[in-house]
Amino acid sequence: MNPEFRSALDFALTCAATPGRAPAMRAYMRGQFDFLGVATPQRRLAARTLLQQLKGTGADNILHYAHELWKLPQREYQYVAVDLLAMHNKQLELAHIPPLLELVQSKSWWDTVDALASVISDVLHYRHDGMDRALSSENMWVRRVALLHQLGWRDKVDIDRLFAYSLALAHEKEFFIQKALGWALRDYARFNPDAVRAFTLNEKQRLSALSYREANKHLI
């Protein structure tokens, strides 16, 4: 990472921080991460110009910056990394899914994992390359990304894959998998409620109560 970029980002985030917010932010993430105390709107405003300056520098450089930001201790730097990837996602291609999944598996919690799932979804652009493999990953967060990668695709959702993924992980007891499974179905239900209603009714015995409830939240 360019030292000038790092110095400018440190200064921008420090100026935007409200240190008194940091303890509550840390507590919200169950004490897993340190925080500077920068709220999301202020963080994005503070870093926007610096991130925009990386436009056109190439996918490898964007990923390098993201991975370097990921190494820094305060959580806001991981959020900036995701903002960077989202801002420049059109520079990323299918070949960059593996390094994105590396980030998914580092300092993992729902906040960064779900944001990276959104980036990966944009990069896939209605394709599914690598997601079948991700579904069988030993890493729970990678499996969560596989479940969530079609969020917002509406009529482009591969319904057979959505339902197959749901059944493949329906046995899992992990909260974050059960929740993601229900979320993926609920999202598609906004476009095709009858299909989701029929699927969850037919497979109710296989789905966890949480997944079933989440999937049908707006159908009941």
Side-chain angles (χ1 to χ4, degrees):
M1 188 191 310
N2 186 308
E4 293 180 0
F5 175 93
R6 170 68 193 280
S7 177
L9 179 61
D10 288 348
F11 179 75
L13 291 179
T14 299
C15 290
T18 304
R21 294 175 57 96
M25 296 171 76
R26 179 179 172 82
Y28 183 63
M29 290 297 158
R30 298 186 181 181
Q32 297 182 93
F33 312 106
D34 290 328
F35 283 85
L36 295 169
V38 187
T40 297
Q42 287 72 34
R43 181 194 76 243
R44 288 177 174 161
L45 181 62
R48 180 185 302 162
T49 300
L50 286 168
L51 301 187
Q52 288 173 339
Q53 291 173 359
L54 296 175
K55 181 179 180 179
T57 60
D60 289 344
N61 193 55
I62 296 297
L63 285 165
H64 169 71
Y65 271 68
H67 278 261
E68 289 299 304
L69 289 166
W70 220 263
K71 297 175 183 177
L72 301 179
Q74 289 81 16
R75 195 60 164 169
E76 285 91 346
Y77 288 105
Q78 283 91 68
Y79 296 156
V80 170
V82 175
D83 292 341
L84 170 65
L85 293 165
M87 180 183 291
H88 301 297
N89 67 74
K90 288 183 172 55
Q91 295 190 52
L92 302 173
E93 300 176 352
L94 294 176
H96 301 120
I97 297 296
L100 291 173
L101 289 175
E102 288 179 14
L103 294 178
V104 167
Q105 298 174 74
S106 177
K107 299 184 179 180
S108 307
W109 199 240
W110 62 264
D111 53 343
T112 53
V113 170
D114 292 356
L116 287 168
S118 180
V119 172
I120 289 170
S121 176
D122 289 338
V123 175
L124 288 170
H125 194 62
Y126 311 128
R127 291 165 292 191
H128 311 278
D129 300 60
M131 291 299 102
D132 289 352
R133 189 180 309 110
L135 188 74
S136 60
S137 171
E138 294 181 358
N139 185 281
M140 178 268 292
W141 297 108
V142 173
R143 298 197 300 278
R144 181 175 168 99
V145 168
L147 285 171
L148 299 180
H149 83 276
Q150 297 192 84
L151 285 183
W153 287 14
R154 296 178 61 78
D155 61 318
K156 300 296 195 301
V157 166
D158 181 335
I159 186 171
D160 291 335
R161 181 175 262 104
L162 172 64
F163 291 165
Y165 280 21
S166 297
L167 292 179
L169 300 187
H171 67 283
E172 295 207 21
K173 305 302 182 185
E174 170 57 54
F175 169 84
F176 288 107
I177 292 296
Q178 293 184 1
K179 187 81 170 180
L181 197 162
W183 181 12
L185 292 170
R186 184 177 79 243
D187 182 76
Y188 185 57
R190 293 189 176 96
F191 173 75
N192 192 345
D194 291 340
V196 173
R197 186 181 289 110
F199 171 76
T200 55
L201 183 61
N202 290 338
E203 304 296 346
K204 187 173 183 179
Q205 298 305 312
R206 297 178 64 181
L207 298 173
S208 70
L210 173 58
S211 295
Y212 183 87
R213 185 170 62 250
E214 286 293 317
N216 287 274
K217 184 173 288 187
H218 303 301
L219 298 180
I220 299 172

